[in-house]
Amino acid sequence: MPLPSALTPKPQRGRPRDPERVRRILEAAQKHFSEHGLERASVDAIAADAGVSKMTVYSNFGSKEGLFQAVVHDRTATVVTGVPGVEALDPGQPEKALMAIGDRFLELTRGDDALGTLRSVYGVAGAQPEVCCAFYKDGPERFNGELATYLRRAHLAGTLRVRNPIQAADLFLSMFLGSGHFRGLLMLERPDARENRALLREAVRVFMAAFGG
């Protein structure tokens, strides 16, 4: 998915951007924004951790807000990598497909990258609407759309009865955003692999009971 124009760093004159240096800046910024939020994060500290000058950060991203926008986009693109494409899912085997999608979604919602990005985005809600919109479109909306597309195919194949695929996709994914997800957001002890697997099996069972063909 292309980066929305509002979040695209303005081209800089002079030498072309060094991809490795940009990567170091983004990784350092992700750490500081996750730990301190946008307002309290220090560009000086980010630059020091990345091994670059403060001016280099500004020449690549324009401002601390521009750097934050780039980090949110980069992290969102990273965590949704590997989302099962609809073409790879068999509409004749919805239970198997839902297990694969649910497993990936659980991995994302329990992962440090996704949780750190969520905390950062929640911290600027209202103040940075363009960041929140881009995060939503690149992350939750994209994942929900992938699942809805599959559900339409399964409905046409007769293996599921889904009148509203978007709503059904939302219901399925919402089953993974309960106490375990909140524990992760609050930096409390997260569910272990056994708990996640039990939740996955139960979510698929409930969904199939409601929408099975």
Side-chain angles (χ1 to χ4, degrees):
M1 180 178 294
L3 184 64
S5 58
L7 300 186
T8 305
K10 295 180 180 180
Q12 305 294 321
R13 294 181 179 180
R15 293 185 302 173
R17 302 202 313 170
D18 179 346
E20 177 54 33
R21 185 168 55 194
V22 168
R23 172 56 46 197
R24 293 201 311 272
I25 296 171
L26 288 173
E27 289 177 352
Q30 162 67 12
K31 176 177 178 291
H32 283 269
F33 287 138
S34 293
E35 292 178 355
H36 307 295
L38 173 61
E39 294 302 321
R40 294 188 296 117
S42 163
V43 175
D44 287 299
I46 291 170
D49 279 3
V52 301
S53 69
K54 183 177 179 179
M55 187 57 64
T56 297
V57 175
Y58 284 124
S59 68
N60 278 275
F61 299 98
S63 65
K64 183 164 72 167
E65 289 73 21
L67 175 58
F68 181 78
Q69 293 170 357
V71 166
V72 170
H73 173 77
D74 179 71
R75 294 294 91 185
T76 305
T78 297
V79 298
V80 299
T81 298
V83 173
V86 293
E87 70 282 351
L89 302 174
D90 183 359
Q93 299 186 62
E95 188 170 354
K96 181 179 179 181
L98 289 169
M99 287 290 292
I101 293 172
D103 185 58
R104 178 58 179 160
F105 190 68
L106 262 178
E107 183 182 341
L108 296 182
T109 57
R110 300 289 196 265
D112 289 332
D113 268 357
L115 290 171
T117 301
L118 276 172
R119 293 187 201 104
S120 297
V121 172
Y122 288 160
V124 301
Q128 295 277 330
E130 69 281 3
V131 173
C132 295
C133 181
F135 169 77
Y136 176 75
K137 288 184 176 296
D138 283 353
E141 185 175 71
R142 175 183 168 186
F143 207 117
N144 202 77
E146 288 277 345
L147 175 53
T149 299
Y150 171 78
L151 296 178
R152 290 188 188 96
R153 293 178 59 211
H155 178 80
L156 291 174
T159 54
L160 290 176
R161 298 188 305 274
V162 182
R163 288 181 294 182
N164 187 329
I166 291 291
Q167 183 185 72
D170 206 29
L171 288 170
F172 180 70
L173 297 179
S174 293
M175 286 192 276
F176 302 104
L177 300 178
S179 61
H181 180 61
F182 282 107
R183 281 154 57 187
L185 282 175
L186 296 172
M187 297 185 179
L188 303 176
E189 184 179 2
R190 283 175 248 176
D192 59 23
R194 180 186 58 80
E195 291 178 88
N196 286 338
R197 193 68 182 173
L199 174 61
L200 174 59
R201 286 196 299 266
E202 185 64 7
V204 172
R205 185 195 69 76
V206 169
F207 190 89
M208 292 299 299
F211 296 100

